[in-house]
Amino acid sequence: MAWTWFGPISNKTAAEFNITLDQVNWLGNVMAVLYLPTALLIPGIVSRWGIRRCTEIGGVALILASWLRYAGTAKSLSPAGAYALLFIGQVFAAIAQPMYQCLGTKYSETWFDTKGRTTATMIVAIANPVGGAVGQLVSPIVDSTRTSILILGIATTVIVPCVFLIGNKPPTPPTYAASKPPGSLWALLLAMAGRAPTRESFMSVRERIDFGVIIVVFGFLVAAIASFSILTNQIFEPVGYNEETSGLLGACLLLAGIVAAIITAPLFDRVFTYHLALSVKICAPITGIVWLSLIWAVKPNNTAGLFVVMAIIGIGSLTMLPVALELACETTRNADASSAILWSAGNTLSIMFVLAQQELRAGPDGRPPLNMKKALILNGVFCMVGGFAAVLLKGEQTRKKQDEEKQEQSEAIATANTENNAESAPQTA
């Protein structure tokens, strides 16, 4: 929620706190900037202290974020002082976000078997867009930015105690992959360079190419959504849409994608089990084309058309999130590090997208003034490149095959033992 909270109310926030639009944008950008160093620490934290401790660190950071932000709403503060507290609050939110987001694939691998992993990954992956959608819907509702920041603080404080319900691991690993110790980031980086330190971390040339392609596709699509969420109001307001409509358009993208992800993830687990790569190769190029169409769709009096475009983008983009995350785990056999790299790539690119699009904003003499047409062109072109890169995927699901082979071996051994016990049992009259 903190990630997109200021996007729909950027102009109102700038006016109420007497700061610039670029400063408001940095309240979202800072989350992407700090995502990279935080995400790269997570594999080590999980390996040393476990999943539960990682979530507890995130919970503490969320509490600090909530009330530092609210402290910045005091009217006695100068604009610089208020902005400093808002910014520091967002810094702690930025530390918390990857603590949960990057854990999705490792959590699903630890607790779920091959028939539920994609669904579990989907639930964690879309939790962030759910918060983004809620943030875009709720923040413009109240008249005062200060009140909206208080609402965000209360909501976060109520939710954080749920971390005490999270367990480290089940008594019995559900799959062979779950029984192995967490892989390190360093091991994955060496494997990508062709110098895997162990047999378990070895990656073929094809797997390295596939992981690189997944990074490009995932990075560009995540960056497009993240930058769009931050700049929503600045994209739509110059062509005649108010804050409420801008918020609804952003929320439409996220909510349509969430519904689609909820429907498709169980299908990937149980029906299209070995078709993760094929689905990315179909959906990613289509999504890239629709992102490009925003160049012409963002115009006055096109509300219905924009809602349709937002829904299609959301369905294509968010459906691919859990699929790409799971596919990365399949090619690397390293759930922790692959997830951290993917999310770091997406957030790093989102910083670049936001900064570049800010610079492409038209001046006061533009038609209309301050329009973001050039920014939409940049966004659309990069999404096209990322989308069509997906056709290079082979995406062999090595981890799943290993798990199924080990499961078959275990079942065969169990059956043989049962038969031997039955044969050796004494005959009774």
Side-chain angles (χ1 to χ4, degrees):
M1 289 170 67
W3 163 50
T4 61
W5 194 263
F6 296 98
I9 57 172
S10 55
N11 292 320
K12 186 190 295 182
T13 303
E16 197 164 328
F17 287 91
N18 195 24
I19 56 179
T20 66
L21 276 177
D22 285 349
Q23 286 178 297
V24 176
N25 290 341
W26 268 103
L27 295 176
N29 287 346
V30 67
M31 301 193 74
V33 171
L34 290 179
Y35 199 104
L36 178 62
T38 307
L40 298 181
L41 293 173
I42 289 171
I45 295 172
V46 173
S47 179
R48 186 166 182 178
W49 292 300
I51 291 172
R52 169 71 175 268
R53 181 53 53 85
C54 190
T55 61
E56 288 172 349
I57 295 170
V60 172
L62 279 173
I63 293 290
L64 290 171
S66 298
W67 300 109
L68 281 168
R69 268 193 310 259
Y70 184 64
T73 63
K75 293 185 178 180
S76 59
L77 293 172
S78 67
Y83 182 71
L85 286 170
L86 290 175
F87 190 85
I88 294 170
Q90 291 295 88
V91 165
F92 279 102
I95 292 170
Q97 180 168 282
M99 290 289 180
Y100 300 98
Q101 202 169 32
C102 291
L103 282 179
T105 50
K106 181 60 183 173
Y107 188 85
S108 64
E109 182 182 79
T110 302
W111 284 88
F112 295 87
D113 63 14
T114 55
K115 294 182 180 179
R117 278 196 305 226
T118 305
T119 303
T121 298
M122 175 274 298
I123 291 170
V124 180
I126 68 169
N128 189 261
V130 166
V134 172
Q136 293 210 326
L137 286 171
V138 175
S139 65
I141 289 177
V142 294
D143 293 332
S144 168
T145 303
R146 288 175 164 82
T147 305
S148 77
I149 292 171
L150 175 60
I151 291 170
L152 178 58
I154 293 170
T156 305
T157 305
V158 169
I159 290 294
V160 162
C162 291
V163 299
F164 297 116
L165 303 175
I166 298 170
N168 266 327
K169 59 184 178 180
T172 303
T175 62
Y176 170 68
S179 68
K180 297 190 298 182
S184 70
L185 177 64
W186 183 241
L188 178 54
L189 294 176
L190 287 175
M192 285 291 290
R195 302 176 62 187
T198 64
R199 185 179 176 183
E200 290 280 348
S201 60
F202 174 77
M203 294 174 66
S204 67
V205 174
R206 180 69 251 186
E207 287 172 336
R208 283 180 263 161
I209 292 170
D210 277 354
F211 188 48
V213 171
I214 294 168
I215 291 171
V216 171
V217 176
F218 187 89
F220 281 152
L221 292 180
V222 168
I225 294 173
S227 59
F228 184 82
S229 297
I230 291 170
L231 299 171
T232 303
N233 193 36
Q234 297 164 57
I235 289 170
F236 292 119
E237 188 169 301
V239 291
Y241 301 97
N242 59 27
E243 289 179 349
E244 287 74 17
T245 303
S246 298
L248 287 171
L249 286 166
C252 175
L253 184 156
L254 297 171
L255 291 172
I258 289 161
V259 172
I262 290 170
I263 294 169
T264 56
L267 296 176
F268 286 122
D269 269 330
R270 297 176 180 272
V271 181
F272 307 114
T273 309
Y274 281 98
H275 294 88
L276 297 185
L278 180 61
S279 65
V280 175
K281 290 162 83 170
I282 293 171
C283 292
I286 294 172
T287 305
I289 292 170
V290 181
W291 271 114
L292 189 69
S293 74
L294 270 181
I295 299 169
W296 300 279
V298 177
K299 59 184 180 181
N301 304 315
N302 190 33
T303 306
L306 283 170
F307 273 109
V308 171
V309 171
M310 291 294 100
I312 296 172
I313 289 173
I315 291 168
S317 299
L318 296 189
T319 300
M320 290 299 97
L321 283 186
V323 174
L325 288 164
E326 282 295 299
L327 201 53
C329 294
E330 297 290 342
T331 56
T332 65
R333 277 87 62 202
N334 190 330
D336 273 352
S338 63
S339 178
I341 288 173
L342 287 184
W343 285 115
S344 297
N347 281 273
T348 301
L349 286 169
S350 74
I351 304 166
M352 300 178 185
F353 273 43
V354 172
L355 294 178
Q357 289 178 52
Q358 283 178 181
E359 294 302 315
L360 292 172
R361 185 191 294 123
D365 56 345
R367 296 185 180 180
L370 305 178
N371 73 80
M372 301 285 279
K373 179 106 180 217
K374 290 180 180 178
L376 291 172
I377 293 171
L378 176 80
N379 198 55
V381 169
F382 274 101
C383 286
M384 284 280 288
V385 171
F388 278 90
V391 300
L392 303 174
L393 273 175
K394 182 180 179 183
E396 189 172 350
Q397 293 173 237
T398 311
R399 181 185 64 161
K400 193 176 187 71
K401 289 179 180 178
Q402 286 181 351
D403 285 341
E404 290 178 348
E405 287 171 3
K406 295 291 183 181
Q407 180 68 25
E408 288 172 3
Q409 290 173 12
S410 298
E411 289 173 356
I413 292 170
T415 302
N417 289 337
T418 302
E419 291 173 354
N420 289 337
N421 291 337
E423 290 173 2
S424 61
Q427 297 292 322
T428 57

